[in-house]
């Protein structure tokens, strides 16, 4: 009996050990989920006002932007949110406010809008924002786009901002949507691309809908005239020169909602992919000497495979299959499908949307971003959706105004829809527009801020993305542009070998944490990290410990003990 008891006890121990091992294995392979942070905890009490009226003026349904940026240089990402404002079709009953929230470093934020001097919406009907250190003084400045007049706020470095729009010459009156800071001529200064939407005025508003029933719908932008977008060259003295015509950018009339700066042909010159609504998308190839060639049609990204223009809204770029070439993504309206454009290495692309195409058939996409949500080294994809017409459900049986969020995991050379297992928030619907991404709690995984049209924003904390190891990198330029746009980061950690091109812009009406979080998988350190700067300088770091943020200074590296520099 004793022998039997000993054998049985041993059996139970083996079973328990096996079960424990299985649980441990499942814990290691469990994927991240996104947890909605309530306003009572985050402190973000602001709500977007889209000024919706019975007249259905088109700008009402297009706005809702914002960003993450570290305005006070404390190493923690803060939040700026853009509100509507007075225009020829809207007079607020009381002044509306933009919002600036300082990161308290404990998961919450404090409203510092009034003190910072960025509260006013008097410049126009606000759309989006982009952050960048245009004067290279080490402080992030703020550019706000509008239907009306855009505003450039210079960061004073003391918690306040100053309106320097008129001196800088970047007001760009009209209807501006997305803005992208980049250095198109590699002179080390941040230039500015401003997307222009349609030519619009209150007295030109078109009535769309079934007048017999007394209903008005938001018009399809097809009925409005296109406009040229703007390119401003940074002169380095606080002013910009409008080079839209001289560069060739203004030769293409579009209805631009968003743009992303990347390098599609690996020639070291940053190109620009622009999403247009109801007309062909633009692919502006940088030919050097300040000149661009628009090749949207020839490259295969201008139209659908059927040869029709689509309703391009959000865009982004990444090398999703790790072949060393930048691929593109654009979100469209329902029934048009979204496109994942694979770079065929000849200044041409092929649409390989795969599972994304079918999952988005009935959705309209706006804010979106490639980022590594589980730190395995591959760029995943998040989509924020919402139909532009709040009366769509009276016209279509399967399309809704509020729509679900989507999360796609990169599984090598394709994307898999993992929304159902990525958190309960994916079972909800939103009128989403802008999307900003950042590691706001500095725990090594990337979090999200969904900005809703006419509603409160939603802060989503990444829970579990840091189960894999990671390295956060902040680029400190000396000769290259302050954001490090165009830098190529290549890293090896054990058997994992990846590279990433530092893009700028992307998404919709928003910009993002400028730091790069590099996924390492199970590796406990980075064996080598090489950074090729736009200036041509190369910094190489070796044996860098995982799970920390580091600053890499152009030409100097991390420190003399671990970095070498190639001039």
């Amino acid at each position: 009996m004793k022998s039997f008891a000993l054998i049985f006890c041993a059996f139970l121990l083996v079973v328990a050990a096996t079960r424990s091992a299985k649980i441990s294995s499942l814990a290691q392979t469990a994927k991240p989920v996104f947890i909605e942070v309530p306003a009572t905890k985050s402190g973000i009490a602001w709500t977007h006002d889209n000024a919706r009226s019975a007249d259905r003026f088109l700008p009402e349904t297009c706005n809702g932007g914002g960003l993450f940026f570290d305005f006070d240089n404390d190493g923690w990402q803060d939040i700026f949110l853009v509100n509507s404002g007075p225009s020829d079709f809207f007079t607020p009953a009381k002044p509306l406010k933009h919002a600036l929230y300082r990161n308290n470093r404990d998961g919450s934020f404090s409203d510092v809008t009034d003190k910072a001097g960025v509260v006013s919406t008097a410049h126009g009907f606000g759309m989006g924002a982009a952050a960048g250190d245009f004067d290279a003084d080490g402080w992030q400045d703020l550019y706000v786009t509008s239907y009306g007049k855009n505003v450039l706020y210079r960061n004073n470095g003391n918690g306040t901002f100053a309106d320097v729009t008129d001196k800088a010459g970047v007001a760009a009156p009209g209807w501006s949507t997305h803005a992208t800071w980049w250095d198109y001529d590699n002179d080390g200064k941040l230039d500015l691309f401003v997307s222009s939407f349609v030519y619009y005025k209150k007295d030109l508003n078109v009535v769309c809908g079934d007048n017999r029933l007394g209903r008005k719908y938001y018009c399809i932008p097809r009925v409005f005239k296109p406009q040229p977008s703007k390119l401003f060259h940074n002169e380095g003295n606080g002013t910009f020169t409008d080079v839209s015509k001289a560069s060739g950018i203004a030769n293409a009339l579009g209805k631009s909602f968003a743009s992303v700066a990347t390098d599609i042909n690996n020639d070291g010159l940053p190109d620009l992919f622009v999403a247009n609504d109801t007309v062909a998308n633009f692919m502006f190839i940088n030919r050097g000497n300040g000149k661009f060639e628009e090749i949207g049609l020839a490259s295969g990204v201008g139209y659908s495979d059927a040869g029709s223009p689509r309703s391009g809204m959000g865009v982004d770029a990444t090398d999703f299959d790790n072949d060393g070439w930048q691929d593109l993504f654009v979100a469209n309206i329902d029934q048009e499908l979204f496109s994942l454009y694979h770079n065929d290495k000849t200044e041409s692309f092929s649409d390989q949307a795969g599972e994304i195409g079918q999952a988005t058939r009935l959705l309209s996409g706006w804010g979106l971003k490639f980022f590594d949500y589980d730190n395995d080294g591959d760029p995943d994809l998040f989509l924020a959706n919402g139909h532009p017409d709040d009366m769509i459900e009276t016209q279509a049986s399967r399309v809704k105004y509020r729509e679900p969020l989507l999360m796609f995991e990169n599984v090598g050379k394709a994307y898999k829809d993992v929304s159902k297992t990525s958190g309960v928030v994916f079972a909800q619907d939103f009128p989403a527009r802008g999307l900003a991404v950042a590691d706001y709690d500095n725990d090594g995984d990337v979090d999200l801020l969904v900005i809703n049209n006419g509603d409160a924003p939603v802060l989503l904390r990444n829970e579990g993305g840091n189960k894999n190891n990671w390295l956060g990198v902040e680029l400190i330029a000396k000769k290259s542009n302050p954001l490090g746009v165009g830098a190529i980061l290549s890293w090896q950690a054990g058997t994992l070998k990846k590279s990433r091109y530092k893009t700028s812009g992307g998404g919709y009406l928003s910009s993002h944490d400028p730091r790069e979080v590099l996924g390492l998988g199970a590796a406990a350190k980075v064996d080598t990290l090489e950074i090729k700067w736009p200036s041509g300088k190369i910094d190489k770091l070796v044996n860098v410990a995982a799970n920390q943020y580091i600053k890499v200074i152009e030409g100097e590296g991390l420190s003399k003990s671990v970095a070498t520099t190639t001039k």
Side-chain angles (χ1 to χ4, degrees), residues 20-68:
S20 176
K22 287 182 178 179
I23 293 173
S24 177
S25 177
L26 287 173
Q28 291 176 1
T29 58
K31 292 297 182 180
V33 296
F34 288 93
I35 308 297
E36 183 176 352
V37 183
T40 52
K41 183 175 182 179
S42 70
I44 303 173
W46 180 90
T47 296
H48 181 254
D49 185 339
N50 65 351
R52 179 172 291 124
S53 68
D55 290 311
R56 296 298 194 272
F57 295 109
L58 189 57
E60 298 169 0
T61 193
C62 299
N63 63 343
L67 52 78
F68 280 108

Side-chain angles (χ1 to χ4, degrees), residues 22 37 66 79 109 116 118 174 198 201 232 245 305 338 423 464 466 491 522 525 530 537 539:
K22 287 182 178 179
V37 183
I79 291 173
F109 296 81
V118 293
V198 299
K201 292 182 179 180
F232 294 99
K245 292 183 179 179
D305 287 344
F338 300 3
N466 56 8
W491 69 101
K525 67 181 178 68
E530 181 178 284
K537 288 187 176 181
D539 286 308

Side-chain angles (χ1 to χ4, degrees), residues 123-387:
H123 54 89
F125 198 81
M127 298 299 294
D133 182 8
F134 81 90
D135 53 0
D137 65 350
W139 298 86
Q140 293 293 297
D141 309 300
L142 185 63
Y143 188 72
V144 183
T145 62
S146 302
Y147 168 76
K149 174 187 174 183
N150 302 334
V151 178
L152 177 59
Y153 289 109
R154 181 182 181 274
N155 191 327
N156 295 324
N158 60 0
T160 68
F161 291 78
D163 184 343
V164 296
T165 311
D166 292 338
K167 177 184 177 182
V170 292
W175 187 352
S176 300
T177 50
H178 196 94
T180 297
W181 291 105
W182 62 324
D183 182 10
Y184 74 88
D185 55 355
N186 284 339
D187 66 352
K189 299 183 290 291
L190 283 174
D191 308 305
L192 181 64
F193 177 84
V194 182
S195 292
S196 295
F197 197 46
V198 299
Y199 182 68
Y200 191 89
K201 292 182 179 180
K202 177 183 178 181
D203 56 8
L204 295 178
N205 191 52
V206 179
V207 176
C208 297
D210 187 344
N211 292 326
R212 182 176 61 83
L213 297 177
R215 294 170 175 167
K216 292 181 181 179
Y217 307 131
Y218 288 111
C219 293
I220 297 173
R222 186 178 296 112
V223 303
F224 300 103
K225 294 181 180 179
Q227 291 287 290
S229 290
K230 298 285 188 179
L231 179 61
F232 294 99
H233 180 263
N234 191 334
E235 300 301 334
N237 59 3
T239 69
F240 292 76
T241 299
D242 186 341
V243 294
S244 309
K245 292 183 179 179
S247 65
I249 292 291
N251 293 339
L253 298 181
K255 302 177 184 181
S256 174
F257 264 147
S259 60
V260 60
T262 187
D263 182 3
I264 70 156
N265 53 9
N266 287 347
D267 64 354
L269 297 174
D271 310 305
L272 196 73
F273 180 47
V274 179
N276 286 314
D277 194 340
T278 70
V279 296
N281 299 322
F282 296 147
M283 184 68 250
F284 288 112
I285 297 294
N286 192 334
R287 298 303 187 196
N289 298 317
K291 302 293 183 181
F292 291 85
E293 179 185 2
E294 200 289 294
I295 64 165
L297 174 61
S299 66
V301 301
Y303 297 91
S304 70
D305 287 344
S308 301
R310 291 187 280 188
S311 301
M313 295 182 286
V315 298
D316 204 12
T318 195
D319 176 13
F320 80 87
D321 57 353
N322 202 40
D323 67 351
W325 295 78
Q326 288 285 289
D327 310 299
L328 305 173
F329 189 90
V330 61
N332 302 299
I333 204 167
D334 64 284
Q335 309 299 341
E336 293 183 346
L337 305 184
F338 300 3
S339 290
L340 175 62
Y341 288 114
H342 178 262
N343 193 325
D344 294 334
K345 308 177 185 178
T346 56
E347 294 188 356
S348 63
F349 295 80
S350 56
D351 192 346
Q352 298 182 7
E355 193 169 321
I356 298 173
Q358 294 307 312
T360 59
R361 179 175 291 276
L362 298 177
L363 302 179
S364 299
W366 302 84
L368 58 92
K369 200 76 182 80
F370 287 112
F371 67 100
D372 186 0
Y373 91 124
D374 55 358
N375 284 331
D376 66 353
D378 295 320
D380 307 298
L381 176 64
F382 181 89
L383 301 174
N385 311 295
H387 199 278

